[in-house]
Amino acid sequence: MATVKFMLQEFSWEDPYRVSRTEHVLTPALAIYPDSIATNIASTLRLLGGNADRWRAHIKTAKLNYTLRIMIDRGVCNFKCATTLELLQACQNGAADVLVAYPLMGANTRRVRDIKNQFPDVRISVLAENEQQVRQWQDASIGIFLDINPGMNRTGIEQSAEEKVFDVAQAVKQAGLEFRGLHYYDGQYGSVEEPERSKATHAGYARLLDLVRGLESRGIHVPEVVTAGTPTFPDSLAYEPFQAAEFMHRVSPGTVVYHDATSLAQLPSQYGYAPAALVLARVVSHPNRGIITCDAGHKAVSADAGVPTCVVVGHPELTPLSPSEEHLPLAVREGAEPPAIGDLLYLLPRHVCPTVNNFDAALIVRNGQIESVEKVSARGHEGPLLDDPDPGHRHTAAESVVGTAQR
């Protein structure tokens, strides 16, 4: 299949993104636009026929309690997450149902049990792909989704391994745990062009339905199937058998809340999505003819998706080059007038999720005004030590400090 590097090459300036009184803003800074968040949530719900129950939103993007509350206020109450900190924040802010979509082991399982005990009314589930992972949840009020590997080869049971899928599902039942369904993330198709992408994803969904039928024929009911992050969201929407399925089919895009230069290129423009998170940076140097530098290196705008790391909003003449930790050089198109030292630039990240995770706090901007500064509350991880259940164990001073980190 032909692949392309999906990313916007430029993004035109729109006045609602302007931030007033920037002389008081330390850069680089993360700016969040709640009106755009509301638009993006409304667009997603419209695509789901107005049924918020079909969206199991991945909160690795949202990160802020501020944003979670906007989503919950609009009826989104099913989430998935990747860390115990994200799980904790979701529970604290009113989520009804949270899937920890990550293969947890060791102390991480104890922490999920702790959180479940704190929030007994929240329906919490986890992933499993083998019997060892199932057994560690015995006697816990935790649901189990089987993680199915659609070919991304990151985690999960290979989609063709029908007998193993049945064996693990049977182990869930034998352990007295609630079998919640199947989790299927086909993000490997995000850089495949249409119509090849739809052809590939729909072939995978057909095999997924074969697994469902196989389990049902052996007496194991499949209540829910979760598919599609942001890249393959349109493909799940267009797959008609999901609409007629007896199970609850949910989609799990997360990037759609803020969007970035990748997702805006991947998804159809008629969906009506808009950026809701930008990074503010200042030009700090003109080191060479044809190059300027701003203060948004990869500690601000994530470089995990490659170079260029972003698009400079309203400046098609600027092309981001390879960043260092604190510096982002930009090539200036020949013949163009470069921004002056001290000028403010607005950067649309290539990958917004880890970019948000780079910041401790975000500016909330509405109509050009900074309404508030909000903590990026699900940034990073908890830990690194759980409270020791053995009262005879004596922590060192260092253990005592790190054991309370982020608690």
Side-chain angles (χ1 to χ4, degrees):
M1 289 177 287
T3 60
V4 296
K5 289 185 177 180
F6 272 116
M7 179 181 172
L8 295 180
Q9 300 304 305
E10 60 182 76
F11 192 84
S12 300
W13 174 252
E14 297 180 11
D15 223 47
Y17 293 117
R18 189 182 307 280
V19 179
S20 300
R21 298 175 60 83
T22 53
E23 66 272 17
H24 301 288
V25 174
L26 295 170
T27 53
L30 177 66
I32 299 289
Y33 299 85
D35 289 342
S36 293
I37 292 174
T39 297
N40 292 339
I41 293 172
S43 295
T44 303
L45 295 180
R46 184 179 67 252
L47 292 165
L48 293 171
N51 186 1
D53 193 43
R54 285 196 61 204
W55 189 10
R56 185 175 286 283
H58 201 321
I59 62 172
K60 69 182 177 67
T61 308
K63 288 290 184 190
L64 281 72
N65 289 345
Y66 177 90
T67 304
L68 282 177
R69 288 192 291 269
I70 294 176
M71 299 175 75
I72 291 169
D73 287 347
R74 283 158 176 76
V76 182
C77 58
N78 304 302
F79 298 95
K80 77 176 189 181
C81 65
T83 71
T84 60
L85 181 57
E86 290 171 354
L87 172 63
L88 179 64
Q89 300 303 316
C91 292
Q92 288 178 339
N93 283 278
D97 187 321
V98 189
L99 164 61
V100 186
Y102 198 86
L104 300 167
M105 297 297 296
N108 292 36
T109 63
R110 284 174 47 207
R111 180 57 181 146
V112 171
R113 285 173 176 260
D114 290 346
I115 294 172
K116 175 61 179 176
N117 290 337
Q118 291 179 55
F119 300 93
D121 294 333
V122 180
R123 200 177 189 194
I124 295 175
S125 302
V126 297
L127 295 184
E129 61 182 68
N130 55 59
E131 293 185 29
Q132 178 188 3
Q133 289 174 337
V134 171
R135 286 194 300 270
Q136 66 187 350
W137 298 106
Q138 197 132 16
D139 302 322
S141 299
I142 300 288
I144 306 291
F145 280 82
L146 297 196
D147 190 16
I148 306 300
N149 176 12
M152 193 170 184
N153 298 327
R154 189 169 65 178
T155 63
I157 306 169
E158 286 192 25
Q159 193 168 0
S160 60
E162 184 174 344
E163 285 302 316
K164 184 175 181 182
V165 171
F166 173 74
D167 288 344
V168 180
Q170 189 68 18
V172 174
K173 293 291 189 180
Q174 291 172 349
L177 296 166
E178 181 187 9
F179 178 62
R180 292 290 310 276
L182 305 179
H183 175 266
Y184 183 94
Y185 177 68
D186 50 356
Q188 75 271 23
Y189 296 123
S191 59
V192 176
E193 288 190 281
E194 291 288 11
E196 289 85 359
R197 187 184 70 199
S198 289
K199 182 178 179 181
T201 55
H202 288 186
Y205 298 153
R207 293 191 294 273
L208 181 62
L209 291 185
D210 287 341
L211 283 179
V212 173
R213 285 188 286 268
L215 288 168
E216 295 278 359
S217 70
R218 299 189 187 201
I220 297 179
H221 176 55
V222 180
E224 179 177 342
V225 173
V226 183
T227 67
T230 298
T232 55
F233 180 36
D235 306 300
S236 275
L237 289 176
Y239 190 63
E240 292 185 3
F242 283 153
Q243 300 168 24
E246 294 184 3
F247 54 76
M248 167 59 75
H249 172 243
R250 290 190 170 112
V251 291
S252 57
T255 307
V256 292
V257 175
Y258 294 145
H259 273 288
D260 54 27
T262 300
S263 63
L264 289 168
Q266 289 172 328
L267 299 181
S269 59
Q270 59 266 32
Y271 283 7
Y273 288 124
L278 299 177
V279 173
L280 277 56
R282 285 190 175 91
V283 178
V284 296
S285 179
H286 286 184
N288 206 336
R289 183 178 179 182
I291 294 178
I292 65 170
T293 299
C294 70
D295 55 358
H298 65 73
K299 285 184 176 178
V301 181
S302 176
D304 72 301
V307 175
T309 60
C310 58
V311 173
V312 186
V313 178
H315 286 277
E317 78 282 5
L318 299 179
T319 301
L321 303 174
S322 182
S324 53
E325 293 183 40
E326 306 291 352
H327 304 78
L328 176 62
L330 304 110
V332 183
R333 188 173 59 213
E334 187 173 354
E337 185 69 23
I341 290 177
D343 280 1
L344 192 71
L345 302 178
Y346 294 74
L347 309 179
L348 174 62
R350 181 173 185 165
H351 192 188
V352 70
C353 312
T355 295
V356 172
N357 195 65
N358 279 338
F359 290 89
D360 291 315
L363 305 172
I364 305 302
V365 181
R366 196 192 306 267
N367 298 324
Q369 303 301 312
I370 298 173
E371 284 191 348
S372 64
V373 177
E374 298 289 339
K375 181 180 179 181
V376 182
S377 39
R379 182 189 184 198
H381 295 82
E382 289 191 294
L385 288 179
L386 285 175
D387 293 333
D388 197 322
D390 179 5
H393 178 74
R394 302 177 69 87
H395 288 299
T396 66
E399 285 176 328
S400 298
V401 170
V402 297
T404 58
Q406 295 192 20
R407 294 291 183 84

